[in-house]
Every structure is written in structure tokens, then in C-alpha cells.
Amino acid sequence: MRLFRLFRGLLGAALLLAVGTTAVGAEPLKIAHSTWVGYGPFYIAQEKGFFEEEGLDVDLILMEDTKTRVPALAAGRIDAAATTVDTVLTFYSERRPFRYLFAVDDSKGGDGIVANNEIKTIADLAGKRVAYQEASVSQFYLSVLLREAGLSLDAVEMVNMTAADAGAAFVAKRVDAAVTWEPWLTRGDQAEHGHILVDSSSSPGLITDVVLTTVEKLEARTAEFQALYRAWVKAVEWQKANEAEADAIMARGVGGWLKEAEAFEESRSGVAYYDSAMNEAFIGTAEMPGTITRTISNALTLGREAGLFDHDLEPATLIAFEIVNQ
């Protein structure tokens, strides 16, 4: 009997090893992202072995432009992409439908609007030269704030430029206001003529980065996406307990303008990483969808008003609830 138990134990261990080796040796899961502090925990998962623990082989691919990243996903060249909730809808079509998998970070002051000192409220932006990037999260953010003030995008004079260029233009006094992010929010606030009119800490859930995939990829690789989510949660929990080391790992991984740990730490203060509890509240369940549906609804309404698309979609149908609720 003891010999049988020993044999059974050895056989079980061998089977587990074989399954693990097969999973890790499978086709890598290719995930594309831009240079952004919110995606840092993916590199913790990579360096600390959380991907491997979940039987995953993950390729993290830098693709700065959403106009490259999301079409690459639609074409099947990558398996998932990270971007903001609203951005997904610009590229959505019936031929290439996407699904939201889970949230990774929320802007809690890292985005905002800097404005001339005489501009005291969002309503005061009417008739002013405002720099922001067309068809971007900056436009979405400004549109929501203007609508809450009873205005539309037509109320301002748009100066189309990237968030970083918008911040620089404001500091140089070439525009009256700019929708931008750090470090340009701080630089605009420090300028003699400027101040922070509003930042994203007052609108949680509005500027949220998510991981998305196609319906086809979801059907083929559901178990791997569930494992990816588990690895993400492990990484976020590890980051909470090891902030200094985590900043160094994430800075090296994300690179670019965030390659120094000090710069990464400064930018990280403007975001919140989504852990399991936050994801459960944001994503919700099929029976009771979470607050992501409100963000999707806002994006659908404002996207149609801006002429970006004419989608008539039910927000909950775009969510892969089985990833967070596994």
C-alpha cells in the first residue's frame, strides 16, 4: 500500500509538471501597451514569476499609438491591448468586435486641465483656445466636463495636439487652457499665469485603462486571460507591499520617459492600480454590471455627438464578465 501511494504521488507530480510545461511552452500571449505608469504591474508579474506561476508565457510589446495598437489587435497580430475604456469604441465595428477583460488603473489626479488664472470654472472655457488631442481620452474627459456644465465641445476653440504638446503650449502661453497629464499639470500649475482648473481625482472611473481583446481571441484563450488576470492581481498586491522595489522594476520595464524610478514614483501618485476588489466593483457581474457601464455609456453618447462613430450598443454586452468572475 505504501508503495502504491508513493507511485501515485510521483505520477501526480509528473502530470502536474507536464501540464505546467505544456502551458508555458504554448504560443505566447502578446499584450501591447504604451509608455504609461498604469501598465507597470505587468512587469512585476513578469520579473517576479507571477506569469509563470499561472502557466503563462507573456510577451509585453510597446506600441505607443492607439491607432497602431488596437488595429493590430483587430488584425490578430497581438492577443490583447491596454488602453482607456472610451478609446476602444472608436475602433469598434460589427466585423471586429472587442471585449473588455479587466481594469488596470484609474486616473486619480494624473490627468486634468490647466488654465489661465482668470478661468475659474469649466463654463469659463467657453470661447477660449483649449489644447487637446482629437479623438483621444483628453477629448472624452473634456467632453464629459463640458456636458456637466451645460456646454458641448463646440463651446471651445480646439487646438489639436497631443497631451504633452498641449501642456507645453500652455506653459508657453500659446493657448488659454490645455487638457494634459503629468508632469505638465504640475508645470502648468507652477506657471505664473496658470493653475489646475480640475483634475481626474474628482471623477473616479472616468479615465480608466483596461485590457481588451477580440471576441475571437476571447473564445480561443479564455483560460489564459483568466490566468493573466490572476497574475495581474498578484502583481498589484506585491506592489502595495514593496513600493520602492516595485517602482524600480516598473520603471525599467515601462521605460521611455518613465525609465527612472523617481519619475515613475512621481507619476504613479496620480493613478490607482486596480486590485481584485476594485475590479469586482468596476466590472460587476452579468446579473449586476458594475460602474464600467456608466463610463461606456458616456463614451458612446459623446462619441456619437462628436461624429466619431454611430454605434448603438448595450454597454454590458461588451464586457467579458467571466475573466474577473472566475
Side-chain angles (χ1 to χ4, degrees):
M1 180 65 71
R2 291 176 64 185
L3 184 61
F4 172 74
R5 287 176 180 171
L6 177 61
F7 173 75
R8 186 175 63 181
L10 290 172
L11 178 62
L15 286 172
L16 284 173
L17 180 60
V19 170
T21 302
T22 300
V24 173
E27 183 71 19
L29 200 63
K30 300 181 179 69
I31 304 171
H33 66 86
S34 60
T35 302
W36 175 237
V37 66
Y39 309 138
F42 283 122
Y43 289 92
I44 294 176
Q46 187 178 66
E47 183 159 323
K48 292 300 176 180
F50 300 143
F51 289 146
E52 189 174 0
E53 285 180 9
E54 294 297 340
L56 291 175
D57 182 7
V58 176
D59 283 349
L60 297 172
I61 303 167
L62 185 65
M63 289 188 184
E64 293 291 7
D65 194 344
T66 309
K67 294 176 182 176
T68 300
R69 193 160 68 248
V70 182
L73 174 60
R77 295 196 297 274
I78 57 175
D79 302 297
T83 189
T84 56
V85 172
D86 59 290
T87 303
V88 177
L89 300 171
T90 305
F91 299 92
Y92 184 96
S93 73
E94 290 185 4
R95 290 190 303 107
R96 53 181 189 186
F98 299 112
R99 292 293 181 268
Y100 298 99
L101 300 180
F102 59 92
V104 292
D105 75 275
D106 189 55
S107 184
K108 60 167 189 177
D111 297 82
I113 301 175
V114 286
N116 289 335
N117 289 326
E118 65 270 18
I119 298 173
K120 304 295 186 184
T121 68
I122 295 296
D124 291 342
L125 292 173
K128 300 296 192 297
R129 283 170 51 82
V130 181
Y132 64 90
Q133 186 170 16
E134 188 176 18
S136 72
V137 68
S138 294
Q139 176 173 312
F140 172 62
Y141 178 57
L142 177 61
S143 296
V144 172
L145 297 179
L146 286 170
R147 187 172 65 169
E148 290 174 350
L151 301 170
S152 69
L153 274 177
D154 293 339
V156 305
E157 181 183 342
M158 183 190 78
V159 181
N160 187 15
M161 54 181 66
T162 67
D165 288 344
F170 176 76
V171 171
K173 298 184 179 181
R174 292 192 282 118
V175 294
D176 300 308
V179 186
T180 188
W181 51 46
E182 292 293 6
W184 291 105
L185 279 180
T186 297
R187 293 176 185 176
D189 191 43
Q190 292 172 343
E192 186 177 349
H193 65 285
H195 71 119
I196 296 176
L197 179 63
V198 64
D199 68 41
S200 54
S201 63
S202 63
S203 51
L206 185 60
I207 302 179
T208 303
D209 284 295
V210 293
V211 177
L212 70 144
T213 192
T214 61
V215 170
E216 182 181 5
K217 291 286 186 180
L218 177 62
E219 291 174 350
R221 311 190 74 167
T222 298
E224 289 167 275
F225 288 129
Q226 289 175 327
L228 178 68
Y229 173 65
R230 294 193 299 270
W232 169 268
V233 170
K234 288 180 182 180
V236 170
E237 292 303 322
W238 192 90
Q239 182 273 331
K240 292 178 186 178
N242 305 273
E243 286 192 355
E245 185 180 353
D247 285 338
I249 292 171
M250 294 188 291
R252 285 196 305 270
V254 175
W257 61 279
L258 293 165
K259 66 181 179 181
E260 301 297 333
E262 294 79 7
F264 196 97
E265 180 185 5
E266 181 182 2
S267 296
R268 178 176 56 77
S269 66
V271 305
Y273 293 128
Y274 269 71
D275 58 18
S276 58
M278 292 171 68
N279 258 295
E280 287 165 12
F282 189 64
I283 297 296
T285 64
E287 295 73 27
M288 188 174 293
T291 53
I292 186 176
T293 55
R294 187 162 64 239
T295 304
I296 297 171
S297 294
N298 264 327
L300 285 167
T301 298
L302 293 169
R304 287 192 294 263
E305 289 178 358
L308 298 177
F309 48 72
D310 58 1
H311 307 322
D312 185 16
L313 302 168
E314 175 57 42
T317 64
L318 305 178
I319 305 167
F321 293 105
E322 66 269 31
I323 303 305
V324 170
N325 303 282
Q326 50 183 277

